[in-house]
Amino acid sequence: MEKQNYNHLTRTFQRLSRFDHLSAIAGWDMFTNMPPNGSTARGEALAELSVLQHQILTDKKIATLLQAAVQENLNDVERANLREMTRQYQEAILLPASLVEEKSLVGTRCEHGWRTQRPANDWQGFSTNLKEVVRVSREEAKLRAEAKGKSPYDALLDIYEPGMSSAKLDVLFGDLRTWLPDLLQKVVDKQAKESVITPVGPFATQDQRELGLETMKLLGFDFNGGRLDVSAHPFCGGVPEDVRITTRYDEGDLVSALFGVIHETGHARYEQNLPREWLGQPVALARSTAIHESQSLFFEMQLGRSKEFLKLLLPMVTARFGKQPAFESTNFTAVNQRVERGFIRVDADEVSYPAHVVLRYEIERALIDGEIEVEDIPALWDEKMQQWLGLSTKDNFRNGCMQDIHWTDGAFGYFPSYTLGAMYAAQLFNAAKRALPQLDSDIAEGNFSALFDWLRQNIWQHGSRFTTSELITNATGEDLNPLYFRKHLEARYL
């Protein structure tokens, strides 16, 4: 039978996808609804599920089927799917099931502890759990590094961003270092001469939620295939058929939750528009974490903080919260394009944001490669925050090295995706503007159909059919070029 081996593989990966579905929804529930005492049992259940998936994926017959399928008469999409299946298999066989289970268990324990330890500024308690996560992550990195012939950190980076290396990142981030601090200073100096009125709260959580839902609707979110909830750290989870996004509310701050929602809606629209006819197969998954971040930052920064979109948003804001001096049109734009050196990454403006990312990248790489230990993180964090942003986080663990959730579950290698994503987003928006000369006026009128069609045609519908480099080159005419990001920041802020 033609394609017999390939078809057998598709059935296996469809099965794995269904387990992924259960894991994703159970994980979402853990972060949003689960009572504290459910943590241990949920952690054990998710670990059991990850072991089961690992056993299915690393079965000896998978290797035989993958080899045999290469000889079969496959079309382009099927070949891409086989490439992605092979990649998943090769990543999985590098780890024993016991390590997969241990990683899941220590990650759940660390994340659950973080929820109370962060508000309490309890670095001692947090670091005890984090040491276990780092120990397991280093073990994983060592196994992957030996098999791939890479450094431990690069072996983990490869999971999130295939084809990327710390050598390439050092060039990209080294370039940022030559111009970003100077640009940041110029923008801060320029804005210091401009008087901006800050919106005055309180902004009731329920009204903020309704504003967020209205904005999601404006941005094309499909509520028949997703929902909005609250969590300690905003995220986008679930599956393409049922996308779960979360934000967190502060009644003294209107902007944080709203732009958190816009950011996560970018992730969600990508998931909701992945190729439905391939769902359940690896080729239907998002290309990489940086491409995923490019979509959220496209929505939040390129589109969401443009003056055209902010003018569109303003009547929605005043309808909920009434008129006040801060909601005068020019001022509202200025509030949302304000550049300030701050402690919190998820609330950072797009000029200072890369500093937060490079700082984390440098620390996590040194941590995984064994150059530093967990105890060294707070002092290093403080030193790098002072270098980049002139801020001290000494003894302020809550707003320093404990603010993010990524390290709790061992997601080392993820952070570079944010700044890579910002670079891709600027390049994609530039290409979209070239393709759609009326784009600014379309945005001002709330007409996003041409823009979303462009994203669907160039990014969303392709899933993992192409490599990251091919996807970006097809969409924009060239591989990643960080110059677009710099030009975007200079044009908007100077």
Side-chain angles (χ1 to χ4, degrees), residues 280-421:
Q281 297 303 312
V283 74
L285 296 171
R287 173 58 273 173
S288 72
T289 52
I291 295 298
H292 229 311
E293 291 304 333
S294 79
Q295 298 311 289
S296 56
L297 293 168
F298 190 103
F299 272 58
E300 181 193 1
M301 298 299 186
Q302 298 293 326
L303 173 62
R305 293 190 193 267
S306 68
K307 62 179 187 296
E308 294 82 9
F309 187 82
L310 291 167
K311 278 182 184 165
L312 190 65
L313 205 54
L314 187 52
M316 294 160 57
V317 170
T318 53
R320 300 253 175 242
F321 300 107
K323 294 192 172 175
Q324 56 169 280
F327 294 159
E328 181 276 322
S329 182
T330 309
N331 189 81
F332 186 68
T333 299
V335 165
N336 286 291
Q337 291 185 354
R338 199 77 183 151
V339 172
E340 292 174 319
R341 297 178 173 95
F343 292 107
I344 304 300
R345 175 186 62 82
V346 296
D347 293 337
D349 57 84
E350 58 184 332
V351 183
S352 62
Y353 195 102
H356 292 270
V357 173
V358 177
L359 173 155
R360 287 156 172 77
Y361 157 66
E362 290 174 348
I363 291 176
E364 71 175 15
R365 184 178 69 173
L367 192 62
I368 292 299
D369 286 345
E371 294 162 16
I372 62 167
E373 296 302 328
V374 169
E375 298 84 55
D376 302 320
I377 293 173
L380 256 177
W381 193 287
D382 181 47
E383 180 190 313
K384 289 177 184 292
M385 276 295 274
Q386 296 206 48
Q387 281 172 9
W388 275 101
L389 297 171
L391 298 171
S392 173
T393 56
K394 185 167 168 50
D395 298 327
N396 182 5
F397 311 111
R398 181 174 67 244
N399 293 328
C401 53
M402 284 178 69
Q403 67 182 269
D404 292 300
I405 203 170
H406 304 64
W407 289 346
T408 64
D409 66 354
F412 296 101
Y414 192 107
F415 276 119
S417 306
Y418 289 110
T419 288
L420 289 171

Side-chain angles (χ1 to χ4, degrees), residues 452-488:
F452 294 156
D453 281 345
W454 188 89
L455 283 171
R456 192 176 292 108
Q457 293 297 324
N458 287 284
I459 302 294
W460 298 345
Q461 68 170 352
H462 299 299
S464 284
R465 181 175 181 177
F466 303 112
T467 65
T468 305
S469 177
E470 289 168 344
L471 185 71
I472 287 299
T473 303
N474 292 345
T476 69
E478 59 185 308
D479 203 349
L480 176 62
N481 182 347
L483 189 60
Y484 291 104
F485 181 55
R486 180 176 181 174
K487 284 183 170 173
H488 158 70

Side-chain angles (χ1 to χ4, degrees), residues 418-436:
Y418 289 110
T419 288
L420 289 171
M423 291 174 177
Y424 283 127
Q427 188 166 331
L428 287 167
F429 202 79
N430 180 275
K433 286 187 94 160
R434 290 200 309 268
L436 306 168

Side-chain angles (χ1 to χ4, degrees), residues 47-291:
E48 191 72 47
L49 199 50
S50 65
V51 169
L52 175 61
Q53 289 177 275
H54 186 264
Q55 287 168 345
I56 294 167
L57 184 52
T58 57
D59 190 303
K60 285 192 177 69
K61 70 171 183 268
I62 298 290
T64 310
L65 289 167
L66 287 168
Q67 285 173 338
V70 174
Q71 311 302 323
E72 293 179 329
N73 182 26
L74 308 180
N75 64 32
D76 287 354
V77 176
E78 290 165 339
R79 291 231 162 267
N81 195 31
L82 184 62
R83 178 196 72 218
E84 295 301 310
M85 289 172 170
T86 305
R87 180 177 148 68
Q88 282 195 19
Y89 168 76
Q90 287 172 342
E91 292 287 357
I93 56 166
L94 301 180
L95 305 183
S98 57
L99 187 62
V100 171
E101 180 178 33
E102 190 178 18
K103 183 180 180 183
S104 183
L105 288 169
V106 298
T108 302
R109 193 179 307 128
C110 189
E111 185 279 328
H112 183 70
W114 170 85
R115 294 185 207 185
T116 50
Q117 289 155 354
R118 185 190 172 210
N121 202 39
D122 177 15
W123 167 253
Q124 244 11 75
F126 177 69
S127 66
T128 303
N129 289 334
L130 184 62
K131 281 175 192 169
E132 286 298 289
V133 174
V134 170
R135 176 183 61 76
V136 173
S137 297
R138 280 176 174 172
E139 200 177 323
E140 175 188 359
K142 183 169 177 283
L143 291 170
R144 294 193 185 284
E146 286 167 357
K148 294 179 181 184
K150 299 182 177 202
S151 73
Y153 183 76
D154 278 12
L156 296 184
L157 179 64
D158 192 47
I159 299 168
Y160 300 100
E161 210 46 45
M164 187 49 69
S165 67
S166 47
K168 289 181 188 172
L169 287 174
D170 287 344
V171 171
L172 289 166
F173 294 168
D175 175 61
L176 270 181
R177 204 182 281 279
T178 65
W179 59 265
L180 189 71
D182 183 49
L183 175 67
L184 178 59
Q185 188 60 53
K186 280 182 183 165
V187 177
V188 169
D189 289 347
K190 175 176 179 275
Q191 292 190 348
K193 298 176 189 135
E194 302 161 358
S195 63
V196 174
I197 305 164
T198 306
V200 179
F203 305 102
T205 295
Q206 186 55 34
D207 288 330
Q208 287 197 55
R209 175 177 161 75
E210 284 170 10
L211 175 63
L213 291 168
E214 191 180 355
T215 307
M216 288 164 70
K217 186 178 177 186
L218 178 70
L219 292 170
F221 183 90
D222 177 6
F223 286 97
N224 289 319
R227 52 181 288 141
L228 171 67
D229 292 279
V230 178
S231 67
H233 192 95
F235 71 92
C236 175
V239 292
E241 307 92 321
D242 181 7
V243 181
R244 308 297 176 94
I245 72 172
T246 69
T247 193
R248 58 185 177 205
Y249 298 102
D250 173 353
E251 296 205 337
D253 181 0
L254 172 63
V255 170
S256 178
L258 178 59
F259 278 88
V261 167
I262 294 171
H263 178 98
E264 301 306 337
T265 300
H267 282 305
R269 289 299 316 272
Y270 186 19
E271 286 289 320
Q272 290 182 334
N273 284 277
L274 286 167
R276 289 295 165 121
E277 66 275 22
W278 311 333
L279 279 186
Q281 297 303 312
V283 74
L285 296 171
R287 173 58 273 173
S288 72
T289 52
I291 295 298

